[in-house]
Amino acid sequence: MTARSETPGAMMAVPGDRQVALRFARLTAGFWGGPGGGRSWFWTLALATGIILSVFANVTINRWNGWFFDALEKKDSESAMIAMAVFPVLVLVAAGLGVVVLVSRETVQVHWRQWVTARLADAWVGQRRFFRLSLSGYEPANPEYRIADDVRWATEPVVDFAIGLLSAAITIITFIEILWKIGGGLTLQSGGAVFVIPAYLVLAAIVYAILVSLLVTVVGRRLPSLIAARNEGEARLRFSLMRIRDHGETIALARTEAGERRAVAQTYDSLVGRWLAMIRQRGRLTWITNGSGALVPVVPLLLAAPKYLSGEMSLGGVVQVAAAFVAVQNAFNWVLDNFMRIAEWLAAARRVNELADALERVDDEPPEEHLTVSPSRDGLLHLDDVTLIDRDGRTLAADISCSLPPGAMLHVSGELGLGKAALVQAVAGLWPWGRGAIRLPPDAFVTAVPQKLHLSEGSLRAVLDTGRAAPEEQIEGALRRYGLSGLTPLLDEYRDWDKELATGDRQRLALARAELEKPDVVLLDEATSALDTDAALELLAELRAARPDAIIVAFGQGAGFAEAASHRLLLKRAGGVVRMAPRHPGLDQPALPAILPAQIGPAE
């Protein structure tokens, strides 16, 4: 049976560990290329050099052990004193190499994480994919957590793994030579027959390592999937708690905290079950790791004891082969020692891969039925038989048609429901599902003014930054025209403006920002719902004065907007689908002369 990822929306097959590693390598290998490749290679080579020299420093210390203990056994005070004088130099060199390895390792980790985070964040935010991904149905759970945390857990261990593998390979080569040379062969006699086991300490180290590694692999094979499930549960718990914080006012006023507590409790109960399953698996693995840890220092002493007692090996030789056996064993058992970290890395890398794949998929797989958005030939905004559906094929709004010239204002009213949000997003180029055509004026810049402007923590100047350079006097003038002169001295203050500004002021700020964007098409999505009609019409007049040729589409505004509009569009629900209402005499005529009347589609 194929495993499945625990992500909402479309279910995706979970790849094997090898596929996860290869996909992550393809995703992140660009760190060593491009503009910053020189710096990346410098620190990588510095790290590799430090590791190699550190291994040889350890070999030198191993040989120092043989020298020193042989001097003690022979009671050679002169050699012992020389060895003691040399030892501080060896310690200093080893410590210096340790600093080189530490600095270069963490520098590579920081810069690699920075590169991968920037790539994923740019792909997520760029071309408004964060929103398109949420509509697509195959958005992985908690993409922001994957960028912020999973990238760290997927990049930092890889550097440590590379260090461990390189160090293990060099250690095996160098210390096996010590075991081979000092340990030699073991001679056994049985019934007059003589058996010689060549390089018996080397063979013992290899056989021991293979047996332990096989046990770890068999016992711990389910650990990566259990860790992935635990991480997914942690992310869901964070999301549940964040949801309460983000909707705190609504929950408090409606007194629905009991339901939220039950939801959090259910989420945590699921997380506890996943933790316990992982703990049980780790407990089984600990039998092997702790048992091996206790045996490794003793096994070489037991193997070397016969040769030492027979006088074939000195005390210094015993100390050397014991240390070499432990070093080789640690190198061979690198997988054993890092099994938990490898499992955690695979879980994090899989989550990063899922996000990267989803970001690619949102661009590569257009829906089977999609709207056509293209420039118009006559400079008008056309909605030609637009039908909007959701990703499950359910019709939200059907057969909407109208044409709007520059300077026109369309008031959309009626039973809007989900169809209204979809229509706003479709004109803004975000809603992909549907039929028909949306034709915009050539090179038209479309901006949507929401009911509640999102204000990130920071300065108001950052909120008003539209990407189109605006001089200071223009920004101050826009704030003044929309009744926000008091905010001018506070433009550069960093505050949590989302909490400090009332809804009405936020809507005024959104209209000022829209003016600074210099749009050709403005979509007002209940953008003045917190203001009275007179104030709302005054603000609309300011926007119209600043952009006289802009096409304005107002959704769900008050009666005053309907009277001021040059075009009207009334939507009615029929048979469960929102459709254009038929034209009724006296009800659908604009108060102001229409430059081009709305083309009303047939009603069903």
Side-chain angles (χ1 to χ4, degrees):
M1 180 179 293
T2 303
R4 298 282 179 179
S5 65
E6 299 185 51
T7 57
M11 302 297 288
M12 299 170 60
V14 176
D17 296 344
R18 182 172 179 273
Q19 287 76 16
V20 170
L22 292 176
R23 174 68 178 103
F24 186 77
R26 291 194 299 270
L27 176 67
T28 61
F31 170 67
W32 286 272
R39 180 184 62 183
S40 304
W41 278 110
F42 170 79
W43 286 109
T44 302
L45 293 175
L47 177 59
T49 302
I51 294 168
I52 294 171
L53 293 178
S54 295
V55 173
F56 283 109
N58 291 334
V59 172
T60 303
I61 291 174
N62 179 275
R63 291 175 176 169
W64 179 91
N65 285 329
W67 176 20
F68 181 70
F69 281 98
D70 282 343
L72 291 181
E73 185 180 29
K74 298 174 183 178
K75 296 182 173 53
D76 186 348
S77 59
E78 182 179 353
S79 295
M81 292 299 295
I82 296 174
M84 293 173 63
V86 170
F87 188 70
V89 178
L90 295 179
V91 171
L92 184 63
V93 172
L97 291 172
V99 172
V100 172
V101 171
L102 173 68
V103 173
S104 55
R105 182 196 71 193
E106 296 192 357
T107 301
V108 171
Q109 288 173 328
V110 168
H111 287 310
W112 196 18
R113 179 190 178 189
Q114 178 189 30
W115 186 90
V116 178
T117 300
R119 178 176 177 180
L120 286 177
D122 291 345
W124 187 52
V125 177
Q127 299 183 24
R128 301 179 288 188
R129 289 189 188 91
F130 59 91
F131 183 78
R132 293 161 54 202
L133 194 61
S134 67
L135 296 177
S136 65
Y138 42 78
E139 178 186 42
N142 308 108
E144 67 285 349
Y145 173 76
R146 296 170 190 249
I147 295 174
D149 285 349
D150 282 319
V151 167
R152 176 189 173 191
W153 297 119
T155 53
E156 288 187 359
V158 174
V159 178
D160 294 334
F161 295 161
I163 293 173
L165 284 174
L166 179 59
S167 178
I170 300 173
T171 297
I172 290 172
I173 294 172
T174 53
F175 281 94
I176 275 184
E177 187 266 340
I178 294 175
L179 289 177
W180 195 306
K181 182 178 179 180
I182 298 178
L186 179 63
T187 302
L188 300 176
Q189 295 183 0
S190 177
V194 178
F195 301 94
V196 178
I197 304 176
Y200 77 106
L201 289 176
V202 175
L203 293 176
I206 294 174
V207 170
Y208 185 90
I210 291 175
L211 290 176
V212 174
S213 297
L214 287 175
L215 283 173
V216 169
T217 303
V218 172
V219 174
R221 64 186 182 278
R222 292 186 59 242
L223 195 55
S225 60
L226 293 176
I227 291 177
R230 179 207 62 182
N231 291 346
E232 184 71 27
E234 293 280 8
R236 288 187 178 184
L237 178 61
R238 276 188 295 271
F239 177 78
S240 297
L241 297 174
M242 287 173 59
R243 181 179 177 277
I244 295 175
R245 185 193 64 186
D246 293 341
H247 301 278
E249 180 181 357
T250 303
I251 295 171
L253 292 175
R255 296 184 179 274
T256 58
E257 64 271 14
E260 296 295 335
R261 287 178 63 185
R262 285 194 298 270
V264 171
Q266 291 174 357
T267 302
Y268 189 71
D269 288 344
S270 174
L271 174 59
V272 169
R274 299 180 182 193
W275 262 103
L276 292 177
M278 188 195 69
I279 290 171
R280 287 191 292 270
Q281 188 69 12
R282 290 184 63 182
R284 300 184 190 102
L285 195 61
T286 302
W287 279 98
I288 303 172
T289 56
N290 285 4
S292 177
L295 282 175
V296 166
V298 177
V299 169
L301 296 177
L302 296 177
L303 294 174
K307 299 195 74 170
Y308 175 74
L309 294 175
S310 65
E312 298 179 54
M313 187 181 296
S314 66
L315 178 61
V318 172
V319 174
Q320 271 191 277
V321 296
F325 186 92
V326 172
V328 170
Q329 202 56 231
N330 290 337
F332 269 120
N333 290 333
W334 181 87
V335 174
L336 167 66
D337 297 334
N338 291 274
F339 195 84
M340 274 296 301
R341 294 198 67 195
I342 293 174
E344 292 176 346
W345 172 77
L346 284 170
R350 180 177 285 111
R351 288 170 57 81
V352 172
N353 291 346
E354 287 173 352
L355 176 59
D357 292 341
L359 291 172
E360 293 179 3
R361 187 177 176 190
V362 79
D363 289 333
D364 297 340
E365 294 187 10
E368 294 181 2
E369 291 186 285
H370 62 279
L371 291 166
T372 301
V373 181
S374 61
S376 63
R377 295 181 179 180
D378 54 9
L380 278 64
L381 168 61
H382 297 280
L383 302 181
D384 296 336
D385 294 323
V386 170
T387 294
L388 302 172
I389 62 177
D390 62 15
R391 63 170 177 262
D392 298 321
R394 183 167 58 100
T395 301
L396 302 177
D399 305 325
I400 300 175
S401 296
C402 67
S403 297
L404 302 172
M409 176 177 170
L410 173 67
H411 181 253
V412 184
S413 61
E415 301 181 48
L416 302 178
L418 295 176
K420 182 263 291 185
L423 185 57
V424 172
Q425 294 163 16
V427 178
L430 292 174
W431 191 267
W433 301 284
R435 297 182 298 275
I438 298 176
R439 291 181 287 148
L440 299 169
D443 301 321
F445 181 80
V446 181
T447 188
V449 185
Q451 182 181 17
K452 189 176 181 180
L453 178 66
H454 170 69
L455 300 176
S456 57
E457 188 174 1
S459 68
L460 286 176
R461 189 179 300 279
V463 174
L464 294 172
D465 182 10
T466 64
R468 299 188 173 194
E472 186 73 17
E473 59 271 14
Q474 189 173 348
I475 296 176
E476 294 177 0
L479 291 176
R480 182 177 63 255
R481 286 192 295 275
Y482 292 93
L484 299 173
S485 299
L487 295 180
T488 301
L490 308 177
L491 276 174
D492 295 308
E493 289 195 14
Y494 279 70
R495 299 185 185 179
D496 189 355
W497 294 106
D498 194 52
K499 296 180 179 179
E500 293 205 16
L501 290 184
T503 303
D505 288 339
R506 291 168 63 148
Q507 292 185 344
R508 292 174 181 271
L509 187 66
L511 290 169
R513 188 182 189 281
E515 177 186 316
L516 294 173
E517 285 188 298
K518 301 178 181 178
D520 302 297
V521 178
V522 182
L523 307 175
L524 301 179
D525 186 6
E526 302 185 37
T528 58
S529 59
L531 306 172
D532 60 66
T533 301
D534 292 339
L537 291 176
E538 289 177 5
L539 297 179
L540 177 62
E542 293 290 351
L543 181 61
R544 173 58 75 196
R547 302 296 297 169
D549 294 330
I551 299 172
I552 298 177
V553 183
F555 294 86
Q557 301 291 153
F561 277 77
E563 296 172 358
S566 61
H567 298 68
R568 299 178 191 173
L569 183 60
L570 180 63
L571 300 179
K572 289 285 187 179
R573 185 175 298 276
V577 177
V578 173
R579 300 180 184 276
M580 290 181 57
R583 182 188 295 270
H584 294 285
L587 296 179
D588 197 44
Q589 300 301 320
L592 300 177
I595 301 175
L596 187 68
Q599 300 173 358
I600 304 299
E604 298 184 10

